[in-house]
Amino acid sequence: MLYTLDRINADDRILPGITLGAHILDTCSRDTYALEQALEFVRAKMTSLGSEQFSCNDGSAAVSLLHTKPVVGVIGASDSTVSLQVANLLRLFKIPQISFASTSAALSDKSRFEFFARTVPPDTFQSKAIADIVRALNFTYVATVASAGEYGESGIEMFQKEARLKNICIAAQEKVPLSPSPKHFDAIIAALDAKTNARAVVLFTRMEHALGILEAANRAQLVGRFVWIASDHWGTQDRPVKGREYVAEGALTVELQSHALPDFDKHLRELRPFDEASQRNPWFREFWESRFNCRVDPALAVEHKKSVCSSQQQSPHYVQDTKVQFVSDAVLAMALALDNIRKRVCGDEYGPCRALQTVGGDVLFREILNISFPNLVHEQVGFDENGDGIGRYDILNFQLNRATRRWEYRKVGVWEETLRLNMADIVWAGGSKLLPASTCSEPCGQGEAKSVQQGDVCCWRCLPCRDHEFLVDEFTCHSCGAGSWPLADRRGCQVLPEQYIQWHSVFAIVPILLALLGVLTTSAVLVTFAVKNDTPVVKASGRELCYILLAGILFCYLQSFVLLAKPSAATCGLQRVGVGLGFALMYSALLTKTNRISRVFESASKSTRRPSYISPRSQVLICSLLISVQGVATAIWLVVEPPDTRLFTPEGRFNTVILKCKVKETAFFISVRALRPPHLRSSSTTCSSSWSARCTPSRRAICPRTSTSPSSSPSPW
């Protein structure tokens, strides 16, 4: 901060004629103590000057006895808990505040902290970055540890919210109290170790708490047990890992993306505790003694058995803190905002004009929010509407450099709204390049579905799908349905080949041979009838009805080929028509013939009068009427239920699909049996040329005549 102030005061382009100073107080990372210290900033605004507070030497002029410091803005604090308390106080007096490290998301609420801004982004972005890291590493079961207070609690709450959106489960949630003891850390490590499958541990803790956790893991000899994923309070700090390197190896930390100030390193290396320039920093002497384990005062060195500090001492492994840039940006933002206001209210007047001294804190804060400028590393700095900085993070991996044999934080990725992670550069515990697992359950095998408990999507049991089921998603098995069977990977279904009787199968060849035999024999009988059409024997057998009967028999034999053909709308329609029609032809002819014989014999027993409707034409007409009943019924059936095919899966045989005609079995059976006379359903009658009867005197009128002339009366048979 002092370095940046020196740069500003030395630049005549910024606040010419005005020297900026600083009143720096230590917060000790305690909000209550910081609040007391902040009262020093507002003391001047809290004081009402009265006449009793002035003393006149000669009665002509008054001199104030109070020497207040005109504070126009506050830089800090670092800890979010401290900034929350201080911001609540400063807002009452409209004093703008710019923090360089407070990242609590609550500080973005301008209804509560309308005079607070920061050069760093809120923890909302950091929580998203950590959640993206966990998801990229395929860690689905993690534990969390948070520091008590606004920084840790709000940060881990935001992470857990992001984790739920990414199906990341929290195995354990631990909290570090404000004033923890080693026993607290030991208890936390024991709780983490109890979750054996949760190797990844997300730390949203203060730096000193991260140190305590690593120390407790070291005491428990849990080297390599955990994969630490830590927030920016660990960042690139050496203190948490010093002496605990092997416990921390493989840790991934998030650090605000920043750049080192080159001139600041030179400035800091030139400071010595004996120089006048370093006396304005009341903590520099303490820092030097701690850094080099010495004492500036020779007497104290002897008393504490330490060496006397020397101006020749230099730190061999000095690394600039990543927060330096943000401190410098905060100071520059305050100074440039003041300079813009000075130019607007003072014009070309050199130095502080009277109008500048009356500018309120609300005007200054609005100017801060609207300012945009290049910082000392030529990077553009600005604030959003909530006074927050831009969210950019570096992802670092704590690892042992195998070449130099030194521990270091190596940059392995960046986060700028999206994550870019170089997995090849990450070294895990023990120097391993193999990604560790942090999952509650192992992935399910092929054809297995996850069975999870409600509210816990990370722990599951693997249940195999049934033979005919496929995986709709990783949690659900579903039947492929009739006509389909799961693919080999169970990710979908394939259509099963339709099975039907093939012409070359034995189940088709045997019926075909029998049908051909029937066709041949029936055709032979038909040919015989045709050749002997006018003979007495054929005439006596009732040749018209016999032709119909033989046609029905031939039709039934030919129907075998239709029944064996591949089912289709056409063949299914022919089956419905053909089977019923064939039997209708046969049974109608038999019924008509039987009825004729019955009526002839019944009439002969009563009178010698010839019965009506026994002529061949009448018999054919009666037979046709009976056949038409079947025809009309079949036609209605075809209209009501159009012929089509269906796929049939036998019970218990889901991998078999049979192509069949779409017709109810009962309907088909009824259509075949409908016209069969009851007294013929257990016997059969065929036309015969060997019919004979003995004629008696009482039946002489109906006995056949011996004449074979065409004019002879037709046989009553």
Side-chain angles (χ1 to χ4, degrees), residues 54 76 78 93 106 132 141 154 156 184 194 200 264 316 477 534 554 565 595:
F54 294 89
S78 175
F93 302 94
D132 285 347
Y141 198 56
S154 64
I156 211 67
H184 285 115
F264 177 77
C477 294
D534 294 328
L554 182 62
N595 177 264

Side-chain angles (χ1 to χ4, degrees), residues 508-580:
I509 293 174
V510 172
I512 288 174
L513 292 176
L514 294 175
L516 287 174
L517 180 61
V519 169
L520 290 174
T521 55
T522 305
S523 299
V525 174
L526 275 171
V527 170
T528 302
F529 263 67
V531 172
K532 306 295 184 179
N533 186 61
D534 294 328
T535 62
V537 174
V538 172
K539 289 181 179 181
S541 65
R543 60 185 175 182
E544 292 80 7
L545 293 178
C546 282
Y547 278 126
I548 295 174
L549 178 60
L550 290 171
I553 295 172
L554 182 62
F555 203 86
C556 286
Y557 281 126
L558 292 175
Q559 191 67 20
S560 300
F561 296 94
V562 178
L563 292 170
L564 293 173
K566 179 181 178 180
S568 65
T571 57
C572 289
L574 287 175
Q575 286 181 21
R576 292 197 200 175
V577 174
V579 174

Side-chain angles (χ1 to χ4, degrees), residues 3 34 45 54 83-84 90 98 103 138 143 147 169 217 236 245 248 267 366 413 626 644 654 660 668 678 689:
Y3 165 77
K45 295 183 178 291
F54 294 89
S83 288
L84 285 166
L90 297 182
I98 305 178
T103 56
N138 202 28
S147 291
C169 297
T236 58
E245 290 85 356
H267 165 76
R366 283 198 300 271
L626 293 173
D644 201 354
F654 297 102
K660 300 182 67 175
F668 191 79
S689 59

Side-chain angles (χ1 to χ4, degrees), residues 154-170:
S154 64
I156 211 67
E157 182 180 350
M158 290 300 301
F159 166 77
Q160 291 171 355
K161 181 180 178 180
E162 291 293 325
R164 284 192 293 271
L165 296 176
K166 300 178 186 298
N167 288 332
I168 300 169
C169 297
I170 309 301

Side-chain angles (χ1 to χ4, degrees), residues 259-280:
H259 303 280
L261 306 183
D263 292 340
F264 177 77
D265 290 343
K266 179 182 177 183
H267 165 76
L268 188 62
R269 289 180 184 276
E270 290 176 351
L271 290 177
R272 296 293 182 272
F274 317 102
D275 299 338
E276 184 177 349
S278 65
Q279 298 303 313
R280 59 180 178 168

Side-chain angles (χ1 to χ4, degrees), residues 323-336:
K323 300 292 192 299
V324 170
Q325 176 195 327
F326 301 110
V327 176
S328 176
D329 291 346
V331 177
L332 277 172
M334 189 75 73
L336 293 174

